[in-house]
Amino acid sequence: MYRFLASPRWLGYAALTVAAATVMVLLGFWQLDRYHQRASINARITAGTSATPVPLTGVVPRPTGAPGTVGAAPGSHTEWLRVQVTGRFDASREILVRGRTVEGRVGFEVLTPLVLPDGTAVLVDRGWVAPAEAGALAMPTVPAAPDGEQTVLGRLRPPESRGGPPKEVNGRLEIRRITPSAIAPAMPYAIYDAYVSTDQPPPGLIAVTPEKQNALQNAGYVLQWWLLAALTLYGFTYLARREARGPEPEDLLDEFHDAPA
């Protein structure tokens, strides 16, 4: 059989089979890594439900640049951690985040800067508000941010990708995605490169609850890719052994009966 497999044709088949199986195994490891990432996020979401909040400044680098800039990005392991931060809301620079869905309805999330005692600020998602009855283009009724020093409790969220600068619409600032680096130039202070989604919104706003990742889907993909790799190798081995043995006796008998008299 080994002499048979050494033929150029079967060597080519063997190389293709091993290459295909290798790719499938690597895809399985990639999905395994995605599974661990999503499972870690789910664990932080679960832990944050009852965990004691930690100070924001202890898990996110403080911005040290000039006004209109952002600080360093937090580590990915901080997403969904429950944090607390104290400061004063700057309602004059409140931003509506349009096109956000909660409980099957599309509305706005209310993003208000919270100015810390050191002069820096963090964006706080104060909650979700339904669109006005006049339609999506009309401004919703947003509860005013409280005056005075406030302590905010909530989940830490990393920047969203592909965000743009705020634009004024009907007298209010609006954005589509929450990207602090794109929002910072419109602010008179340096801001954190993350935002806090409060879990204690005021009346009139609805908390934006965290959604768990579908880690089991990735686990299923791991099993799928590795089974395909095993089946590919088994199929090649089976065909190669059968070809090396030559036709079975019953196959020759069938050919004898099918031959013309």
Side-chain angles (χ1 to χ4, degrees):
M1 177 177 176
Y2 297 107
R3 187 183 306 168
F4 161 76
L5 288 176
S7 66
R9 181 166 66 96
W10 279 92
L11 279 176
Y13 291 159
L16 288 174
T17 300
V18 171
T22 301
V23 170
M24 294 174 191
V25 170
L26 292 176
L27 287 171
F29 277 114
W30 173 62
Q31 288 294 338
L32 183 62
D33 182 61
R34 290 288 296 152
Y35 165 78
H36 287 305
Q37 290 177 13
R38 290 185 163 185
S40 177
I41 291 173
N42 291 342
R44 289 197 296 274
I45 291 175
T46 301
T49 303
S50 57
T52 301
V54 297
L56 171 73
T57 53
V59 293
V60 184
R62 176 183 175 276
T64 57
T69 62
V70 295
S76 59
H77 65 282
T78 64
E79 183 178 6
W80 294 119
L81 286 178
R82 196 157 186 257
V83 298
Q84 69 176 21
V85 58
T86 300
R88 295 175 179 270
F89 282 113
D90 183 2
S92 67
R93 290 176 174 81
E94 190 165 80
I95 303 171
L96 294 182
V97 190
R98 64 182 182 275
R100 313 294 271 206
T101 303
V102 170
E103 298 177 355
R105 300 181 63 193
V106 179
F108 299 85
E109 290 178 25
V110 182
L111 200 65
T112 312
L114 184 75
V115 183
L116 280 60
D118 63 5
T120 63
V122 61
L123 301 173
V124 174
D125 188 338
R126 296 199 295 124
W128 179 90
V129 64
E133 294 183 359
L137 297 180
M139 286 295 103
T141 301
V142 179
D147 294 327
E149 189 173 83
Q150 304 292 323
T151 296
V152 175
L153 304 178
R155 304 286 192 131
L156 185 65
R157 299 302 318 277
E160 298 177 355
S161 60
R162 303 187 303 277
K167 296 181 180 180
E168 187 171 334
V169 179
N170 295 335
R172 283 183 180 268
L173 295 176
E174 282 193 11
I175 55 174
R176 180 65 181 85
R177 301 184 65 80
I178 305 175
T179 308
S181 59
I183 298 172
M187 301 293 160
Y189 27 67
I191 65 175
Y192 282 78
D193 196 18
Y195 69 100
V196 177
S197 180
T198 181
D199 49 18
Q200 298 177 348
L205 294 175
I206 297 175
V208 181
T209 56
E211 294 184 3
K212 290 192 174 182
Q213 304 281 319
N214 188 0
L216 289 179
Q217 182 183 50
N218 297 98
Y221 289 150
V222 172
L223 183 62
Q224 171 184 301
W225 283 118
W226 287 353
L227 282 177
L228 284 174
L231 288 173
T232 299
L233 293 173
Y234 172 80
F236 172 80
T237 304
Y238 173 79
L239 291 176
R241 287 175 62 88
R242 182 170 180 176
E243 187 75 14
R245 286 197 304 264
E248 299 291 340
E250 54 269 22
D251 295 333
L252 295 175
L253 189 60
D254 291 339
E255 290 179 8
F256 175 77
H257 286 304
D258 292 340

